[in-house]
Amino acid sequence: MKLRKAYAAIAALLISAAIGAQQRLSDASTSDPQMQGTVLVQNLPTEPNDILFGGLGGDFENHSNTPADDTAAARFLTQATFGPTQTELGELKSIGYSAWVDRQLNVDPTLQRPMLESQIAADVAVNPRGAGFYVGFRQERWFTSAIKAPDQLRQRVAFALSQILVLSEVGTLNNAPIAISEYNDILLRNAFGSYRTLLKDVTYSPMMGQFLTTLRNQKTDWTLVGAVPTPGLLAPDENYSREIMQLFSVGLLQRNRDFSPVLVGGVAQPTYNQDIISQTAKAFTGLGYSCNAPATFGAITLNHNCGCTGIACNFSTSAFFSNPQRYNVVVGGNNALTALYHPDSYRPMSCYPRYSDTGRFQTAANNYAVLPAPNNTKLIISGVSINPSPVACYSATPPADQLACVNYCTEQVDTVVNTLSLHPNVAPFLSRQLIQRLTTSNPSAGYIDRVAAIFENDGSNTRGNLGAVVKAILLDSEARAAVPSANFGKLREPLLRLTAIWRAFGITPAANGQFGVTAPERAFVQKAFGAPSVFNFYEPDFQQAGDIAAANLYSPEFQIFDESTSISASDELWRRIFAGYSTTAVASTPFVAPINGGYLAPDIIDGLPDSNANLLNELDTRMMSGQMSATMKSKLLNFMDTTMASTDKRRRALSMIHLITISPEFAVQR
């Protein structure tokens, strides 16, 4: 009892200190401003092809390419992976930062949907259960990739992108784990590719279509009432057109390349207005599930009964409104609507011209004529105008015009995506958020500018090369400085604290292959693809009240970190670290492998150094990049030498792992 109380006291001390101590990010204020086809298109911007920004030169080489020691190597891997491992530390020290990144850029993606789909298909064939049961399968698959996948940098960047181009299973997608995992794979496949391609794939994703309501979004049908053009009751949904601009590409305010606002007469300028949102929404109409052949999973066959094939499906009213089949069986007299869907549930959406805004009437009375201005065109961002379809598009469009109609439908969507990807705001907007997710919450204006320059041109006249952008973020002198600036760093996301511990000590899955974390949001207020809204768990401009806000600094992760959540996270981390270990006896810590959860294997814990001082040094290296302060080390060492003197080595080691994990010095990634 005495030991338990003492342990609780020091844990409480570290937790209560966490919020204030983490505000060391605000130790120094700053004067930096940052801290404070068939579609007829007009005025489409072009990519830069005559200006080189020096490739990955600039300020990226003002540091050694080889880690000076384990501390520097571990610090880099904390930024670039889900947590350093001994193997990766050795590899990084051997080949250097740049070569390590290049090697990771060329590792094939470890995709999640194919394996998850096979796993769920096998389970429902033997013991079918309701779709909600399988949601945990996706979370397990995500943790498996985060912990074990060889493409660590890609997995980490995809996780970062999932908090920028947000999609969540909370709400309409709560029973679609396979589709959610395919969206994760979209991010994985595009993590080092073209931003334009990524934005296009996200736009055509039926998962995003459900989440932000572009799936079956319909145009306004204009007809003639007498001689007067009259709109129907339907109006295009504006949800996605708003969020693709506000959150996925350009943001609310015009920005310079260093992310400082563009000022006219001292006033910040908006990037777009409500009319542009409404006009853009017209381009995102007519998208529905694609129609493909039956899909077979072992003995299970699923259909998507569209009643058509080929281009005829694009003009089918029933196909536009059809749903891919979900495997449904009767179990115990009740329907078991499982999580196994026909693949059309996650394949890219198709265009249905009858429901797409073509700038024309929807009536045969005047042969589907072009609408009178201004309703015949769509004026979107950057002054780009999309002119009406050159041919009439309706349910009975003649075969000779059908391809032109489908092309118009898809190309107007592509025009919006292309225009946004070429907007000057995108480079600083996306660069800043990727920096925040990987290295620091408060990048300097210079840091953002250098990375944004690479986004604009990677040195080979390519815009939006995300692989080059990620490399620039990680190799920048601000990220690799031996002594980071006072404002450099970020609060570790709750999930990243857990993965760091598991990777540092080689988590062992249970006999059933599971880690046993199916609902991490209960303790951590965070889970992959489980944000409460499209605005993520926390916003990039969130400022913790107090010293951080007073210094005009940003602290996104603090939006879900407070006295309550710090305790719930601490408790959950204790359960994960001590999984399988009994603490009922003071002098011994026996182990029995958990049935349904991962654990730190006894041979790993028992293999740690015996002496308290050496143990603490080893944990400092593995968990904190060797950056533990002398004060913290002294307190923990004293705690082991006195209060924990009568306990066995296992208990001391596990207790120190937990105390370090919940400490403010571990919580802040520097």
Side-chain angles (χ1 to χ4, degrees):
M1 183 61 69
K2 180 179 179 182
L3 174 63
R4 183 177 298 177
K5 287 181 178 179
Y7 180 84
I10 191 170
L13 177 64
L14 290 170
I15 294 168
S16 64
I19 295 177
Q22 285 166 5
Q23 290 180 346
R24 64 180 181 178
L25 295 178
S26 64
D27 285 346
S29 59
T30 176
S31 59
D32 190 325
Q34 155 59 15
M35 302 307 167
Q36 311 203 26
T38 54
V39 175
L40 306 180
V41 181
Q42 301 168 351
N43 304 323
L44 182 65
T46 57
E47 293 193 24
N49 57 12
D50 57 351
I51 300 176
L52 295 179
F53 294 94
L56 291 178
D59 201 37
F60 305 123
E61 302 303 330
N62 293 339
H63 58 80
S64 172
N65 183 53
T66 304
D69 49 31
D70 283 348
T71 296
R75 179 170 175 265
F76 175 87
L77 291 173
T78 298
Q79 297 167 344
T81 72
F82 280 95
T85 66
Q86 296 301 301
T87 298
E88 285 177 344
L89 281 170
E91 178 188 9
L92 177 62
K93 289 187 293 183
S94 172
I95 65 177
Y97 298 122
S98 184
W100 185 91
V101 173
D102 289 341
R103 183 176 290 181
Q104 283 286 305
L105 293 179
N106 288 291
V107 177
D108 290 336
T110 304
L111 301 178
Q112 298 181 18
R113 191 269 305 162
M115 184 157 301
L116 179 67
E117 189 172 49
S118 297
Q119 182 184 10
I120 291 178
D123 192 85
V124 301
V126 176
N127 185 21
R129 286 163 281 197
F133 173 80
Y134 298 98
V135 171
F137 283 40
R138 182 194 65 77
Q139 198 64 218
E140 283 283 348
R141 178 53 45 195
W142 184 87
F143 271 109
T144 299
S145 295
I147 302 302
K148 302 291 186 180
D151 54 328
Q152 274 291 299
L153 181 59
R154 184 186 296 273
Q155 296 290 332
R156 179 70 188 275
V157 172
F159 182 51
L161 290 169
S162 76
Q163 298 188 59
I164 301 171
L165 298 102
V166 174
L167 177 137
S168 176
E169 69 182 15
V170 175
T172 187
L173 292 168
N174 64 327
N175 287 329
I178 293 174
I180 294 285
S181 68
E182 173 60 25
Y183 186 80
N184 185 60
D185 288 352
I186 288 175
L187 303 183
L188 285 167
R189 286 190 291 266
N190 290 287
F192 302 146
S194 163
Y195 168 76
R196 178 190 299 182
T197 302
L198 170 61
L199 195 60
K200 180 177 178 178
D201 288 353
V202 166
T203 299
Y204 279 99
S205 162
M207 297 79 75
M208 183 58 73
Q210 292 183 69
F211 186 58
L212 292 182
T213 53
T214 51
L215 179 68
R216 301 196 185 104
N217 188 21
Q218 299 183 50
K219 69 177 181 180
T220 296
D221 277 344
W222 288 78
T223 56
L224 287 173
V225 178
V228 179
T230 305
L233 296 178
L234 284 177
D237 187 289
E238 298 179 352
N239 202 4
Y240 187 68
S241 66
R242 178 181 296 105
E243 306 308 355
I244 192 177
M245 291 189 287
Q246 178 180 347
L247 301 177
F248 298 175
S249 59
V250 298
L252 295 173
L253 300 177
Q254 294 181 36
R255 301 283 181 177
N256 297 306
R257 201 172 67 183
D258 64 1
F259 197 72
S260 61
V262 173
L263 303 177
V264 176
V267 178
Q269 301 300 296
T271 315
Y272 55 87
N273 56 27
Q274 177 56 43
D275 187 59
I276 289 177
I277 293 174
S278 299
Q279 293 292 309
T280 304
K282 294 179 182 180
F284 293 128
T285 51
L287 296 172
Y289 287 117
S290 60
C291 282
N292 292 280
T296 301
F297 302 92
I300 299 172
T301 298
L302 299 176
N303 297 303
H304 187 184
N305 298 318
C306 298
C308 57
T309 58
I311 199 169
C313 284
N314 298 93
F315 294 86
S316 167
T317 301
S318 60
F320 181 71
F321 291 101
S322 69
N323 287 316
Q325 183 182 4
R326 182 191 290 190
Y327 185 54
N328 182 26
V329 294
V330 177
V331 179
N334 299 313
N335 283 338
L337 198 60
T338 72
L340 185 64
Y341 259 117
H342 187 284
D344 284 347
S345 65
Y346 56 74
R347 287 170 175 154
M349 292 186 288
S350 294
C351 265
Y352 294 80
R354 161 64 184 85
Y355 301 98
S356 175
D357 189 302
T358 60
R360 288 174 170 266
F361 281 97
Q362 185 56 39
T363 176
N366 62 353
N367 199 30
Y368 308 97
V370 172
L371 289 164
N375 295 303
N376 58 331
T377 62
K378 307 171 185 72
L379 186 62
I380 63 173
I381 201 167
S382 299
V384 172
S385 179
I386 302 175
N387 289 342
S389 169
V391 298
C393 303
Y394 49 99
S395 296
T397 296
D401 291 337
Q402 286 183 351
L403 181 59
C405 286
V406 173
N407 286 344
Y408 179 89
C409 181
T410 57
E411 288 177 15
Q412 71 172 343
V413 175
D414 293 351
T415 296
V416 175
V417 170
N418 292 344
T419 303
L420 288 173
S421 69
L422 293 170
H423 193 282
N425 259 37
V426 174
F429 183 82
L430 195 67
S431 296
R432 181 213 182 203
Q433 290 200 63
L434 284 173
I435 292 170
Q436 285 186 313
R437 300 274 56 81
L438 297 176
T439 60
T440 181
S441 297
N442 291 280
S444 69
Y447 191 1
I448 296 173
D449 184 73
R450 293 188 293 272
V451 174
I454 298 302
F455 184 100
E456 291 179 343
N457 191 315
D458 66 355
S460 62
N461 289 333
T462 300
R463 177 181 175 84
N465 179 348
L466 295 179
V469 168
V470 169
K471 186 172 185 178
I473 290 171
L474 294 173
L475 299 190
D476 190 85
S477 59
E478 197 165 323
R480 299 275 59 82
V483 180
S485 67
N487 291 334
F488 190 91
K490 63 190 291 289
L491 186 68
R492 286 193 204 229
E493 297 169 55
L495 288 184
L496 295 184
R497 298 188 206 183
L498 179 61
T499 60
I501 298 306
W502 278 358
R503 282 176 56 79
F505 297 99
I507 183 71
T508 300
N512 61 6
Q514 297 182 2
F515 295 108
V517 185
T518 57
E521 73 279 9
R522 294 174 184 171
F524 297 136
V525 201
Q526 184 190 30
K527 73 172 178 177
F529 300 98
S533 75
V534 72
F535 292 96
N536 194 27
F537 305 98
Y538 26 74
E539 300 182 31
D541 295 330
F542 178 78
Q543 295 178 302
Q544 174 75 3
D547 290 345
I548 289 178
N552 197 28
L553 298 177
Y554 302 100
S555 53
E557 295 85 356
F558 273 92
Q559 198 164 358
I560 61 169
F561 184 83
D562 54 30
E563 291 86 348
S564 175
T565 58
S566 67
I567 295 296
S568 65
S570 172
D571 289 348
E572 179 65 10
L573 288 166
W574 189 93
R575 283 189 288 270
R576 297 298 168 185
I577 291 168
F578 277 84
Y581 293 93
S582 173
T583 59
T584 56
V586 174
S588 64
T589 309
F591 174 81
V592 176
I595 298 175
N596 296 313
Y599 56 89
L600 306 184
D603 60 326
I604 298 295
I605 301 302
D606 295 345
L608 293 171
D610 292 325
S611 78
N612 290 341
N614 290 340
L615 170 62
L616 202 53
N617 287 335
E618 175 71 13
L619 297 183
D620 181 16
T621 299
R622 288 201 186 203
M623 300 173 63
M624 297 186 61
S625 310
Q627 299 181 80
M628 186 183 295
S629 70
T631 299
M632 179 176 172
K633 188 171 290 188
S634 174
K635 288 183 179 295
L636 292 178
L637 187 58
N638 180 67
F639 181 60
M640 283 193 289
D641 288 341
T642 57
T643 308
M644 300 197 73
S646 61
T647 63
D648 65 331
K649 174 190 161 185
R650 273 188 189 175
R651 186 80 60 87
R652 291 196 304 276
L654 292 166
S655 298
M656 288 303 105
I657 291 171
H658 179 243
L659 286 173
I660 292 171
T661 303
I662 67 173
S663 71
E665 292 190 12
F666 180 84
V668 175
Q669 173 188 309
R670 294 281 285 169

